[in-house]
Amino acid sequence: MTQQVQEKVLVKRDFYHLIINGEKVESSNGETFQTINPATGEVVATVAKASQEDAERAVQAARQAFDFGKWKQYPVNRRAQVLHKIAAIMRSRFNEIVELEMLDTGKSIGTAQGQVNQAIEDFEFYAGAIVGHRGAVNNMPGQFHNYTEKEPVGVCAQIVPWNYPLMMAAWKIAPAIAVGCSVIVKPASLTPLTAIVLGEICLEAGVPAGVVNIIPGSGKDVGNYLVEHQQVDKVAFTGSTPVGKGIMEKASQTLKRVTLELGGKSPNLVFEDADIDAAVDGSLYGIFYNSGQSCEARSRLYVHKDIYDEFLEKFVAKTKAIKLGDPFDKGTHMGAIIDQDQLNTIDGYVKSAVEEGATILTGGKVAAVEGFENGFWYEPTIITDVTQSMKVVREEIFGPVVVVMPFSDEKEAIRLANDSEFGLGSAVWSKDGARATRVANQIQAGIVMVNCPFSAMPGTPFGGYKQSGFGRELCIETLDLYTETKSIISYYGSRPLNPLGV
Ligand code: NAD
Ligand code: MN
């Protein structure tokens, strides 16, 4: 067993600073907060807590760097080199960053490794993508010439959630600085540590002062301050749908560019012609990965009635085999829940399901994990006998809880899948390629996984339909969302034009 436990490499730091204008600083008023390891309930570190004054300094630093600095003037290859260097430093500190992410979130080691690896690849992806990002020459009548330039949009506020702290920071920082923007990142207060380290790495790699600022602090206070700020040009937000709606409303006052990656309640359709074992494993991963704390968690599982019993028997057996325990043990399948509030929320949803007449097939309660009694843990939970109107079917739970329902045919499956205010992820399991394509085309969601458990890799567009938000991250088109298109029209005729005829 002990062989399985990852050797710890992190040099413990007790204090983490804000990063403003290329410097590690304490907050203006000296305020701090503590971050907790959700697996153990222990304090991990103390963190400087940004005030509005700090947010203002960050905006001015970002403004200065953008308006008068050299970053956006660099040849694109030079910016690409810096992004590659960020990735290289992250890679050289891989185990340390993984460990820090685990301590801050209570994630299991395999989960954290995958996410840190992806964050590194995101920088590599945008280092490559930016070189090919450019304007166009448009067809014009003779003697007119028109070309477009892609200009960086300016100063970007980037507000991220706690479920994938480093990966979300990478999704935001990499494309923004690739195009020449300056950023102010507001990590989630529950998980600020790896974003701070990423900010330090950006400086070390040669990102000039003021281009990347990291200011952990309260969302309502400094997050909102950035959203309302006159001199912030864009806000990129990942988080819950209600907070996203408020941000869009406030951003309208200054007509900021807005992209929103919000909540989900993603459907997972298993057809009678599916490879049942692959569908079981993919569905298991789809909901229990990251302890279900995923915006794209496949939390509504619809199974064809002919295979419902067989599928469910295998699905329940494997769910019962999911191992909770020491996140550093490679044999642990599922880590902790982020905090007590989230644990209460999850349990509240499960209780509501029981009250509404549903059946708990397995799980359904706070988990007792030996050696981790002060952490926050929830049993992997399967709920059946549900209807579309129940709270557990309609609302995002953000925990290891899946609802399962049978369906009779393709048409019904599509209707059930689309019966949601959200539209982020979705999955289809079928060996019939024509059917899978037909169904994929009719699902109202930004992402459809066909016989595939994974929703996001560098290069694949990630984002939602409906109330899951808008804008796509992790892909080439993200670069467009951090740029303005400028159209330059010129006349090259030999005779001067006099269009008014005066
Ligand atoms: P949250 O909305 O509570 O917080 C997200 C961030 O916004 C945090 O940094 C928070 O401090 C900040 N914030 C809170 N109130 C604010 C305000 N009034 N103004 C400005 N900023 C404010 O979400 P969370 O609980 O951290 O994360 C979970 C949610 O995130 C889930 O709904 C999940 O689906 C969603 N999520 C979506 C995606 C996606 O890509 N679509 C990815 C991960 C998480
Ligand atoms: Mn934490």
Side-chain angles (χ1 to χ4, degrees):
M1 271 313 261
T2 42
Q3 289 283 316
Q4 288 270 90
V5 177
Q6 162 102 2
E7 193 192 328
K8 311 267 176 22
V9 295
L10 184 71
V11 179
K12 186 149 165 53
R13 253 157 90 177
D14 295 325
F15 191 82
Y16 287 79
H17 292 86
L18 314 174
I19 297 175
I20 300 176
N21 204 19
E23 286 174 7
K24 290 161 69 171
V25 294
E26 294 186 20
S27 67
S28 61
N29 55 18
E31 274 194 45
T32 62
F33 64 101
Q34 291 183 321
T35 87
I36 305 292
N37 177 350
T40 61
E42 287 162 9
V43 173
V44 180
T46 302
V47 184
K49 183 178 181 194
S51 63
Q52 289 191 3
E53 205 182 315
D54 296 314
E56 181 59 34
R57 280 172 48 229
V59 172
Q60 293 316 323
R63 212 50 275 168
Q64 185 75 20
F66 185 75
D67 293 335
F68 307 109
K70 56 196 172 183
W71 180 247
K72 72 169 192 269
Q73 316 284 3
Y74 276 178
V76 68
N77 285 321
R78 183 156 173 202
R79 282 204 306 274
Q81 277 167 16
V82 175
L83 266 76
H84 274 304
K85 180 123 190 247
I86 294 168
I89 298 172
M90 290 171 84
R91 219 179 268 295
S92 72
R93 293 171 61 180
F94 183 79
N95 287 346
E96 176 203 339
I97 298 171
V98 165
E99 202 176 316
L100 191 62
E101 189 79 324
M102 290 172 69
L103 293 177
D104 213 4
T105 61
K107 285 181 203 300
S108 60
I109 184 157
T111 309
Q113 284 171 332
Q115 291 166 20
V116 173
N117 193 51
Q118 205 225 63
I120 295 168
E121 290 181 351
D122 295 340
F123 280 92
E124 290 166 341
F125 171 75
Y126 283 111
I130 190 57
V131 176
H133 189 244
R134 61 195 186 281
V137 176
N138 295 308
N139 290 330
M140 297 295 285
Q143 307 190 329
F144 289 93
H145 180 60
N146 177 231
Y147 66 95
T148 57
E149 292 269 20
K150 299 279 187 181
E151 295 190 345
V153 72
V155 170
C156 305
Q158 304 186 310
I159 302 174
V160 297
W162 48 258
N163 59 336
Y164 303 130
L166 181 72
M167 221 169 69
M168 292 296 111
W171 284 23
K172 300 245 177 314
I173 296 172
I177 68 172
V179 301
C181 288
S182 296
V183 304
I184 304 151
V185 179
K186 213 296 284 167
S189 300
L190 291 169
T191 58
L193 303 182
T194 48
I196 296 173
V197 168
L198 177 55
E200 294 169 1
I201 290 173
C202 289
L203 294 176
E204 188 188 335
V207 176
V211 174
V212 173
N213 305 276
I214 316 277
I215 56 164
S218 146
K220 287 200 184 78
D221 185 27
V222 296
N224 187 55
Y225 188 84
L226 297 174
V227 171
E228 292 186 337
H229 205 292
Q230 286 278 356
Q231 289 168 282
V232 172
D233 302 298
K234 165 165 176 146
V235 54
F237 171 79
T238 297
S240 60
T241 295
V243 173
K245 287 178 183 176
I247 284 176
M248 187 165 167
E249 193 181 332
K250 295 212 171 105
S252 74
Q253 294 309 306
T254 47
L255 282 176
K256 279 183 184 52
R257 279 69 186 128
V258 178
T259 47
L260 300 174
E261 302 270 17
L262 308 176
K265 191 77 188 177
S266 300
N268 184 4
L269 309 178
V270 183
F271 286 91
E272 68 278 21
D273 52 16
D275 174 333
I276 293 192
D277 292 317
V280 166
D281 292 342
S283 304
L284 209 65
Y285 180 86
I287 182 63
F288 298 125
Y289 171 70
N290 214 46
S291 309
Q293 302 168 121
S294 286
C295 47
E296 82 293 359
R298 273 72 83 201
S299 49
R300 292 185 292 139
L301 177 52
Y302 299 103
V303 183
H304 191 273
K305 60 178 174 34
D306 292 352
I307 56 160
Y308 185 80
D309 290 336
E310 182 190 351
F311 178 94
L312 214 53
E313 192 182 317
K314 291 181 165 171
F315 188 62
V316 171
K318 283 217 166 181
T319 299
K320 286 184 168 157
I322 289 177
K323 199 167 152 279
L324 281 59
D326 184 355
F328 284 93
D329 186 333
K330 292 190 176 108
T332 295
H333 298 119
M334 203 177 96
I337 302 301
I338 197 70
D339 68 356
Q340 185 64 49
D341 282 348
Q342 189 61 21
L343 201 60
N344 295 345
T345 301
I346 296 166
D347 201 46
Y349 272 113
V350 171
K351 292 207 162 88
S352 83
V354 176
E355 275 159 27
E356 288 185 271
T359 304
I360 312 292
L361 277 194
T362 181
K365 58 183 191 299
V366 170
V369 179
E370 208 191 313
F372 293 86
E373 286 78 6
N374 294 323
F376 315 111
W377 300 84
Y378 206 80
E379 292 182 352
T381 300
I382 302 174
I383 305 180
T384 55
D385 299 324
V386 292
T387 62
Q388 284 292 117
S389 63
M390 288 184 186
K391 253 175 74 160
V392 280
V393 178
R394 307 220 68 82
E395 298 180 18
E396 182 180 50
I397 298 174
F398 226 60
V401 180
V402 65
V403 296
V404 197
M405 218 187 271
F407 67 84
S408 305
D409 57 29
E410 211 175 289
K411 208 168 148 219
E412 189 190 13
I414 292 163
R415 182 179 60 75
L416 291 168
N418 289 338
D419 179 20
S420 170
E421 69 189 30
F422 297 111
L424 188 55
S426 62
V428 180
W429 298 91
S430 167
K431 283 194 281 202
D432 178 342
R435 160 181 273 169
T437 306
R438 216 159 44 229
V439 174
N441 285 345
Q442 292 175 80
I443 292 183
Q444 296 156 356
I447 304 147
V448 187
M449 289 157 262
V450 177
N451 298 322
C452 172
F454 303 125
S455 62
M457 300 174 212
T460 57
F462 192 95
Y465 280 25
K466 303 198 275 190
Q467 294 194 36
S468 292
F470 48 81
R472 294 294 178 270
E473 293 189 302
L474 201 59
C475 59
I476 300 270
E477 71 185 87
T478 314
L479 296 172
D480 289 331
L481 301 177
Y482 283 103
T483 49
E484 297 281 9
T485 298
K486 178 178 282 176
S487 167
I488 295 130
I489 308 173
S490 61
Y491 169 67
Y492 59 86
S494 55
R495 247 188 308 144
L497 298 174
N498 178 8
L500 270 189
V502 181

